[in-house]
C-alpha cells in the first residue's frame, strides 16, 4: 500500500476499524456515564429531579430511567456489551432530548462563530442541542458499524 492509498483509501481493514469503533465507544460511553451518574448518585440528585420535573413537566420516574439508561448504556458501550442495543436506546433518547431544542431554533439565531455575542456569553454552548445531536450521530454510527473485535460482544460470539 502506497502513501496515497493510506491517506485517501477507504478500506483499512478489520483491525483498524475495530480500533476506531473502540475509540468511539469509549468516548461516547464515558460521556453518557458522566451525564447519567449525577442523576443517580449525585448529592444534588433530588433537587435536579424536582427541577427537571417542574421545568419539563415529566414524572420523576422518567428522570430516574434516563439516568439509568445513560449510566448503564454508557457502561455497555464502554465495555462493548450488547453494544448495538445500548447504542440504539441511547440514540432514541437523544432524538427525544433534541426535539424540544430543535423546535426552538425556528426563532433563534444559529451560532456564526466566536464573535457573536450569544456565543461569547455561553462560551460556545449555544442552545443545548449540539451535544445531543453529536451523541445521536455517534450512537447511530455505533449501531451501524457494531462493536468491533475489541469488545465483549465479539468475545461472546467467539465462544458460541
Amino acid at each position: 500500500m502506497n502513501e496515497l492509498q493510506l491517506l485517501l483509501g477507504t478500506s483499512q481493514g478489520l483491525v483498524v476499524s475495530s480500533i476506531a469503533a473502540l475509540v468511539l465507544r469509549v468516548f461516547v460511553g464515558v460521556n453518557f456515564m458522566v451525564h447519567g451518574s449525577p442523576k443517580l448518585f449525585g448529592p444534588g440528585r433530588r433537587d435536579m429531579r424536582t427541577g427537571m420535573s417542574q421545568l419539563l413537566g415529566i414524572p420523576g420516574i422518567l428522570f430516574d430511567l434516563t439516568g439509568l439508561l445513560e449510566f448503564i448504556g454508557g457502561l455497555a458501550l464502554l465495555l462493548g456489551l450488547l453494544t448495538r442495543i445500548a447504542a440504539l436506546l441511547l440514540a432514541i433518547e437523544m432524538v427525544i432530548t433534541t426535539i424540544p431544542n430543535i423546535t426552538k431554533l425556528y426563532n433563534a439565531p444559529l451560532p456564526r462563530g466566536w464573535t457573536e455575542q450569544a456565543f461569547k456569553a455561553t462560551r460556545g454552548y449555544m442552545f443545548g442541542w449540539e451535544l445531543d445531536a453529536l451523541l445521536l450521530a455517534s450512537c447511530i454510527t455505533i449501531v451501524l458499524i457494531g462493536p468491533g473485535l475489541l469488545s465483549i460482544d465479539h468475545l461472546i460470539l467467539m465462544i458460541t
Side-chain angles (χ1 to χ4, degrees), residues 22 25 79-81 83 146-156:
L22 174 67
R25 283 190 358 251
L79 298 173
L81 178 63
T83 307
L149 297 174
L150 305 170
S151 65
I152 294 176
D153 287 344
H154 180 71
L155 291 175
I156 291 170

Side-chain angles (χ1 to χ4, degrees), residues 50-111:
T50 304
M52 292 301 283
S53 294
Q54 291 172 350
L55 179 69
L56 300 176
I58 59 171
I61 189 73
L62 286 179
F63 179 81
D64 297 335
L65 290 174
T66 300
L68 206 61
L69 173 61
E70 289 175 357
F71 189 79
I72 293 176
L75 182 61
L77 291 181
L78 180 67
L79 298 173
L81 178 63
L82 302 174
T83 307
R84 283 191 161 117
I85 295 169
L88 180 63
L89 291 173
L90 290 165
I92 291 168
E93 180 201 354
M94 290 299 99
V95 168
I96 293 168
T97 61
T98 303
I99 287 171
N101 290 305
I102 294 293
T103 56
K104 293 178 195 173
L105 288 181
Y106 181 77
N107 295 322
L110 293 175

Side-chain angles (χ1 to χ4, degrees), residues 10 45 49 57 59 61 72 74 79 85 108-109 129 131 133 148 155 157:
T10 57
R45 177 193 175 290
R49 182 180 196 243
I61 189 73
I72 293 176
L79 298 173
I85 295 169
W129 59 271
L131 179 60
L155 291 175
L157 284 175

Side-chain angles (χ1 to χ4, degrees), residues 108-124 126-127:
L110 293 175
R112 303 206 195 324
W114 62 273
T115 58
E116 189 173 326
Q117 189 62 31
F119 188 85
K120 288 179 184 177
T122 60
R123 293 187 173 85
M126 292 296 291
F127 306 111

